[in-house]
Structure formats: C-alpha cells, structure tokens
Amino acid sequence: MKKWLIPVGIIVVLVAIIAFWSIGIKNTGLKYSQAVNKEWGNVNTAYQRRNDLIGNLVNTVKGAADFEKSTLTAVIEARAKATSVTIDPSNVTPEQLSQFNQAQSGVSSSLSRLLVSVEQYPTLKANENFLKLQDELASTENQILTARTRFNESVQEYNGYILSIPNKWFLGEYKEKPYFQAVAGAEKPVEVKF
C-alpha cells in the first residue's frame, strides 16, 4: 500500500508546483499589462493638459492681437481632432496608435506655427498671460515626451515578459502591444509661412 503512495505523492507535488508556477506567470503578466495601461493613462493626461492649455492660449492670443484667423482656426481644429481620437490600452493596435499619433502631431504642428507667427506681435509677446501660457506649454511638451518614453519602457517590459519562453506558453491570451512612435516626417522642422 505504501509503494503506490510515493509516486502519487510525487505527482501531486509536481502538479502543485506547476500550478503555482503558472499562476505566478499569469499574475506577473497581469501586473505588466496594468503597468502599460497606467502609463497610457499618463500619456493621455499629458495630452489633455496640453489641450486644456491650448484653449487658454488661443483666447489670450485672440484678445491681445488682431491675429491671423487661419492660424487660430488650424490650432482649434487640430485640437478638436486630437481630442476625438481615443484608444483602449488593453486592446491597442499599431493602427490605432498611429491614428492617435497623427492627430497629436497635427496639434503640435499647428501650435508651432501659432507660436512662431506670434513673433510679429510685440504687444502679445510682452503680455504676461501669454508668456506664462507659453512656458506652461513648453513644460507640458516635456511632460508628454516623458510620458511617451515611460509608456514605451512599460511596453518593452510587458512584451519582453509575455513573449519569452516559457511565459508565452501560459500567456496565450496576452497580445504584444505596439510602441509609441513618431509620425512620418517628424524629423523635419515645421515650416512656417507668413
């Protein structure tokens, strides 16, 4: 009777070890997935801050200068387009990320044109509210860069974990997540025409 207990005991112990190991892999995969979602939330928060500041900036510029209407309209339209693109970080695809990035790039481009063309208005450049908003926008752009960098670092950890073997065998339901990438042509300076 004792002879069959030893092999059964060994099998039970092995099954328990494999089960706990598998649970550990799944829990760690979930932790990394949640970290990616959190970092994506930080990216959205940084972009939202920029969008909020743009409204204040446009109103300050409107109130302080007889300004080029087309430039202001471009900023307002780019902001509206950027706020209409949303992404679910748990099911993000490279195409969705590219669409989001394109919309945000439109905001950056029109905002750059606005800030450069403001140079023609000395009273606006001296306006304390405008200068403060300009500084806050520069700070926000740095926050956006930091948030995107941290998102990519989080995606790297997540993808590295779920794609490595043997984790890949236990995490079939987890999909590789795309990195945040610059839009095509981002390496070129924004062209501003007066």
Side-chain angles (χ1 to χ4, degrees), residues 2-40:
K2 289 185 178 184
K3 283 185 176 181
W4 66 271
L5 277 179
I6 293 174
V8 169
I10 291 173
I11 291 172
V12 168
V13 168
L14 285 176
V15 168
I17 289 171
I18 291 171
F20 284 116
W21 182 53
S22 171
I23 290 169
I25 288 173
K26 288 187 180 271
N27 285 340
T28 304
L30 178 63
K31 178 183 87 170
Y32 285 132
S33 179
Q34 290 302 308
V36 169
N37 293 349
K38 176 188 146 257
E39 293 303 335
W40 182 251

Side-chain angles (χ1 to χ4, degrees), residues 6-7 10 13 27 39 43 59 61 80 91 106 115 125 133-134 139 143 147-150 155 157 159 167 173 182 186:
I6 293 174
I10 291 173
V13 168
N27 285 340
E39 293 303 335
V43 169
N59 289 333
V61 171
N91 295 319
L115 293 175
K125 289 190 325 188
L133 284 168
Q134 198 173 12
S139 170
Q143 288 177 0
R148 289 188 301 210
T149 301
R150 288 182 180 157
V155 167
E157 272 190 70
N159 286 346
N167 299 353
E173 70 272 14

Side-chain angles (χ1 to χ4, degrees), residues 6 14 18 21-22 31 57 60 68 73 77 96 99 104 106 123 128 132 135-136 141 145 160 163 167 174 188:
I6 293 174
L14 285 176
I18 291 171
W21 182 53
S22 171
K31 178 183 87 170
L57 180 70
T60 301
E68 231 184 279
T73 303
E77 287 173 357
Q96 289 173 326
Q99 182 184 16
Q104 295 302 331
T123 54
E128 193 175 308
K132 184 176 182 213
D135 285 344
E136 284 193 40
E141 290 299 323
L145 172 64
L163 295 174
N167 299 353
Y174 288 86
K188 298 174 189 163

